[in-house]
Each structure stands twice: as structure tokens, then as C-alpha cells.
């Protein structure tokens, strides 16, 4: 397949080690991935942006010929992360097919601009990972800089967002941000990277499936011939064979089906949803008007806006109802929080008018 066809293939599956370590490791990974018949692009980190010094920082330029060799043996196009102009130059010199901008680079406009300048006049596809912090403007800015350099094939990679403290995931997926980025850039492919979201292999399937259910265009998943002994990101890598199984186990769904009866049924349900949303909006408006009245009353009687007991009572009532109605407490907490915050803001405005 030529690179243009690969770029357009859906789902697009990218896999390979977090880091290229040795020539044997790269070649064996590539061959075993190719044998699964499930992989479209071979990835490998050559220069690794590590959070702390002292960990393996990548094999460097000497690993590029290994990738060239892997491509020759398997026919798989190869993708590499670049963070400096020199890395772009070296990658292109050794025939790397696809470049990607890492999460720690997307955050830095100077670095992204350096890459953009190095890419001017070059016709190579570029994938841009989300910045490590939850900032869609930075992600958008990186896309704009690369696009302005004349790169026409740009894709996005959702790899999750750093959050301090222990969470289930290594990087919080914050799906709503990827969905919003997709909405703003419908013409750009959006790939999901479950490896860096999860940080551990037992969670990969669940995240990959969710991405596919959300109509993502493909997956980038790290794989290694000996995952536990990988020189970087050991906990999240899987063997090439396991990768192949995972791709087979995912339930692939299409965004649309041509059947007319399906569309008629869907339209009917959507109409009902619209109707209910309208009613909910009316009710919310009524609720806020009542909150305004209470605000005025509190102001006239010189009473504080927030009364903790009342808030606890509202939440407790809501939970009792939500349990019976099959609404999760997590959802109801978020919903009630939003409603409550809005009430407080409005009452605040009234108090201080
Ligand atoms: C990687 O893909 O190995 C990598 C370093 O990813 P990220 O930039 O998402 O941390
Ligand atoms: Mn990695």
C-alpha cells in the first residue's frame, strides 16, 4: 500500500515499541507485528523525552537505519517522534514516513515552531499528540503552526492529560476534550493512544474500545517482544501477538448504516430526545427563577447564600431519587453541582446588585 492509501485507511492501526532499543528488537517486533496482519504503521521512539534524567533517553540517530531495515523487511511505513529540527532532518534523511509531535513538545510553542520551520517545503504526514496539560488552544496552536508550514496531511493523537496524584489512569483521558477537538477539526483524523492513557496493559482494551465507540479513526498502541523488560514504558506494552488479538477482539462499529428503517427509528428517538431536552431547559429556567426569588429573600433578611445543611439535604434527596430512577450517583452529583453553582452565581449577583 502506498503512504497516501495508508494515511486514509480506517481504522488506522499504529504499533511498535515505546523505544527502539536494539536492531534485533526493532526487526523482530516489526516482523511479528506484520505477521499479525493487523498493523498499518510501525512506530518506535528514537529520541525519548523522559520526565526525569537518568532513564533511557532513546538510542538516537543510530536507530534510524534499523527502522529503514524493518520497513524493507515488512513493507510497513515507519513513524517516529521528533522534537527538534535536527531530529526532523535525520528522520527524513533515513526515510521515515510519518513524524509525530510528542505531548511534551506540543506544550511548547517555540519547539513546535522549530519543527514547523524544519518542515517547510517537506511533504511528510505529521501526527500531533495532545499537549500534556488539558489545553485545547495549545493543541490547536500546534496544528496551526504545522499547517502554516505547508504540511497537508495532519492527524491528531489523543494520549490523555497529566493530572497530579494517583488516578486509575496514568493520564486522564478527559474524553470530552478529544471530542471537542474532533468537533472543531472534522477534517483531521483522530487517533487514540490507549498505552499512554492507561500506563498499564490490563486497561488497554477498555480504553481502545471506548475510542472506537466514539468514532475515532484509529489506534496507536505500544508493543514489545519482551514487554516486561522494555527499556521504557514496560508496564503498558504488549507483545505483537497480543496486539493482534486485541485488534481482533475490538468491536468495530461504523458511524452510519445505509438501512432506511434504522434511520427512521433513530430519527424518532432523536426527536423524543430533543423534546425532552427542551422540557428540561424549561424546568431549569423555572428552577433558576425560584433561586433568584430566594436570593432576594436572603438579601432582604441578610442571610448567607450557602447553607451547608440545605445543600446536604438537597443532595441526599437527589440520591434517594436517582437510585430508584437508575441514574448513577456520579452523574447526579455532577449535575446537581452544576445546577447548584449556577444558583449560587445568580444569588451572588442579586446580593451584590
Ligand atoms: C510515546 O509515544 O512513546 C511518547 C513519548 O508519548 P507521549 O508524547 O504521548 O508521552
Ligand atoms: Mn511510551
Amino acid at each position: 500500500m502506498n503512504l497516501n492509501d495508508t494515511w486514509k485507511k480506517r481504522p488506522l492501526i499504529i504499533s511498535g515499541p515505546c523505544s527502539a532499543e536494539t536492531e534485533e528488537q526493532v526487526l523482530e517486533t516489526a516482523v511479528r507485528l506484520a505477521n499479525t496482519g493487523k498493523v498499518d504503521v510501525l512506530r518506535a521512539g528514537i529520541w525519548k523525552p523522559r520526565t526525569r534524567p537518568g532513564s533511557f533517553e532513546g538510542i538516537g540517530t543510530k536507530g534510524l537505519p534499523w527502522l529503514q531495515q524493518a520497513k524493507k523487511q515488512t513493507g510497513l511505513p515507519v513513524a517516529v517522534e521528533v522534537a527538534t529540527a535536527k531530529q526532523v532532518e535525520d528522520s527524513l534523511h533515513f526515510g521515515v514516513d510519518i513524524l509525530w509531535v510528542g505531548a511534551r513538545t506540543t506544550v511548547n510553542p517555540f519547539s513546535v515552531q522549530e519543527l514547523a520551520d524544519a518542515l517547510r517545503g517537506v511533504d511528510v504526514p505529521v501526527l500531533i499528540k495532545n499537549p500534556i496539560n488539558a489545553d485545547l488552544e495549545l493543541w490547536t496552536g500546534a496544528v496551526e503552526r504545522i499547517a502554516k508550514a505547508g504540511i497537508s496531511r495532519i492527524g491528531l493523537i489523543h494520549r490523555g492529560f497529566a493530572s497530579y496524584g494517583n488516578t486509575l489512569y496514568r493520564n486522564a483521558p478527559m474524553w470530552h476534550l478529544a471530542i471537542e477537538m474532533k468537533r472543531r477539526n472534522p477534517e483531521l483524523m483522530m487517533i487514540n493512544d490507549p498505552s499512554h492513557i492507561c500506563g498499564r496493559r490490563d486497561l488497554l482494551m477498555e480504553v481502545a474500545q471506548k475510542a472506537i465507540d466514539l468514532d475515532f479513526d484509529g489506534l496507536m498502541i505500544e508493543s514489545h517482544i519482551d514487554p516486561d523488560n522494555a527499556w521504557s514504558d514496560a508496564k503498558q506494552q504488549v507483545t505483537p501477538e497480543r496486539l493482534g488479538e486485541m485488534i481482533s477482539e475490538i468491536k468495530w462499529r461504523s458511524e452510519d448504516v445505509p438501512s432506511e428503517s434504522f434511520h427512521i427509528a433513530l430519527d424518532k428517538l432523536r426527536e423524543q430526545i430533543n423534546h425532552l431536552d427542551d422540557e428540561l431547559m424549561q424546568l431549569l429556567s423555572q428552577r433558576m427563577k425560584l433561586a433568584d426569588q430566594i436570593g432576594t429573600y436572603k438579601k432582604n433578611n441578610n442571610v448567607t447564600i450557602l447553607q451547608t445543611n440545605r445543600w446536604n439535604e438537597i443532595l441526599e434527596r437527589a440520591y434517594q431519587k436517582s437510585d430508584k430512577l437508575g441514574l448513577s450517583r456520579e452523574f447526579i452529583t455532577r449535575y446537581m453541582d452544576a445546577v447548584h453553582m449556577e444558583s449560587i452565581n445568580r444569588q451572588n449577583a442579586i446580593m451584590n446588585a
Side-chain angles (χ1 to χ4, degrees), residues 16-19 43 45 48-50 81 100 104 129 159 170 193 195-196 222 232-234 236-237:
C18 178
S19 303
R43 65 148 279 159
K48 301 302 298 178
R50 305 311 299 276
E81 173 178 349
W100 88 79
R104 289 166 191 76
K129 287 199 170 196
R159 52 81 75 205
R170 174 177 172 191
D193 170 352
S195 303
H196 293 89
E222 288 180 342
S232 60
D233 288 352
Q236 69 197 32
Q237 303 201 61

